[in-house]
Amino acid sequence: VPFVVLSSSLNPASRSRALARCAHEALGALGHSVEYIDVRDYDLPICDAATAYSDPNVLALQRQIAKSDGIVFATPVYNFAAASSAKNFVELTGSAWTEKVVGFLCAAGGRHSYMAVMGLVNSLMLDFRVHVIPRFVYSTETDFDADLQPAPDVAARVRELAETLAACSAALAGANATGRGEP
Ligand SMILES: Cc1cc2nc3c(=O)[nH]c(=O)nc-3n(C[C@H](O)[C@H](O)[C@H](O)COP(=O)(O)O)c2cc1C
């Protein structure tokens, strides 16, 4: 499976999930095979660095992330950071993210928390050498209509992120194939 779209909000009426659906559709329309993971579909444990790592859902999700080329990571902004459900997912799946290309879709209440994902981004980059697409999608409540449909310009930014993810993954695979970057 080349791509995974991961929705990490636990809110049944989530805006970041609406963006995740949009990214899923966009990658499919570009002809890529893409799987959708919604944390609401799994009864995930809180990471305890012990028994959580043998949970069957955690093991299955680790495998799903590990076999992907790239991940679109949709996350709510809580307390000026990525929501704990997003961080917990990374804590549970850890090294499965190694050297993936990752693009973020964020839903926030207001405009001021746009650096909220950077803690999680730093951790992915430094712990797992993840290639994070610098231009991520940051949305606020006013970017959605009453049915949680994203405004056309936001949907266009999601499509752009999907295209960038596919292009970066292909470029990285090409670079790895030719051995660029090896000593
Ligand atoms: C506990 C909590 C903390 C929040 N903290 C912030 C915040 O720091 N900055 C912000 O802009 N919005 C904040 N919000 C608003 C959410 O980011 C907003 O509701 C967003 O749509 C959540 O994503 P979701 O709809 O995908 O679940 C917070 C909401 C909750 C419930």
Side-chain angles (χ1 to χ4, degrees):
V1 175
F3 297 113
V4 163
V5 174
L6 167 62
S7 173
S8 63
S9 178
L10 294 171
N11 187 341
S14 157
R15 296 181 186 89
S16 59
R17 185 178 308 109
L19 299 182
R21 290 214 177 99
C22 190
H24 184 259
E25 224 173 84
L27 284 165
L30 289 168
H32 298 292
S33 105
V34 48
E35 276 185 12
Y36 183 75
I37 299 174
D38 191 325
V39 295
R40 273 178 60 85
D41 295 336
Y42 301 86
D43 187 17
L44 288 178
I46 298 285
C47 184
D48 62 356
T51 54
Y53 291 132
S54 42
D55 181 282
N57 281 330
V58 171
L59 294 171
L61 290 169
Q62 282 173 352
R63 281 194 293 273
Q64 220 172 332
I65 294 293
K67 68 184 181 184
S68 73
D69 286 343
I71 300 125
V72 175
F73 196 166
T75 173
V77 170
Y78 283 0
N79 301 69
F80 293 93
S84 57
S85 53
K87 188 165 184 288
N88 188 53
F89 189 95
V90 173
E91 291 168 6
L92 291 172
T93 50
S95 59
W97 292 75
T98 301
E99 288 178 13
K100 306 297 180 193
V101 180
V102 175
F104 277 90
L105 304 173
C106 310
R111 292 186 303 156
H112 299 294
S113 300
Y114 58 87
M115 287 180 71
V117 289
M118 294 314 293
L120 193 57
V121 165
N122 284 339
S123 146
L124 288 170
M125 290 198 301
L126 298 178
D127 273 350
F128 308 121
R129 302 185 299 284
V130 162
H131 302 267
V132 178
I133 298 171
R135 191 163 204 207
F136 60 91
V137 177
Y138 179 87
S139 66
T140 68
E141 285 177 10
T142 54
D143 287 321
F144 296 82
D145 67 18
D147 299 322
L148 294 181
Q149 287 305 306
D153 61 317
V154 178
R157 275 156 51 206
V158 174
R159 285 194 293 275
E160 190 186 316
L161 184 95
E163 282 164 21
T164 308
L165 181 83
C168 288
S169 301
L172 195 64
N176 287 338
T178 56
R180 224 187 86 206
E182 285 176 12

